[in-house]
Amino acid sequence: MAGPDGASPLTFPTPFPIKVMGRRVDRFAQAIVEVVKAHAPDFDPATLELRASRQGNYLSVTATINATSREQLDNLYRALSGHPLVKVVL
């Protein structure tokens, strides 16, 4: 995701959507909101987009944050990827 010189191709601040997928269990969306807010305190949970899988076993959650740095995004991706309820982060 870095350019040839190692710099991020993104210009900050910028709106940045993060899609998180996991099993459809109680509190999945709330757990994602808690992790996102820890790294992006200005995130508005009312903007969270939810989408169940065709058979309803999985839930996709999209949180669009106001990203302020590459470091912030990297830390958020690591926190989400390490969460026990999360299967995939895009």
Side-chain angles (χ1 to χ4, degrees):
M1 197 164 175
D5 60 356
S8 174
L10 299 173
T11 302
F12 296 101
T14 187
F16 194 89
I18 299 170
K19 183 178 275 192
V20 184
M21 291 172 266
R23 297 223 23 108
R24 191 172 181 180
V25 296
D26 289 343
R27 293 199 31 82
F28 176 71
Q30 182 59 35
I32 300 310
V33 167
E34 289 169 5
V35 173
V36 170
K37 284 198 67 73
H39 294 273
D42 61 342
F43 172 69
D44 180 2
T47 64
L48 198 68
E49 298 174 36
L50 306 174
R51 184 175 194 170
S53 65
R54 187 169 299 164
Q55 295 183 6
N57 296 324
Y58 292 89
L59 187 62
S60 166
V61 177
T62 302
T64 300
I65 68 165
N66 183 37
T68 57
S69 70
R70 175 64 189 252
E71 180 181 18
Q72 177 196 33
L73 290 174
D74 289 346
N75 290 336
L76 179 52
Y77 269 89
R78 276 193 289 276
L80 288 168
S81 296
H83 195 283
L85 295 178
V86 173
K87 299 292 182 193
V88 177
V89 181
L90 302 173

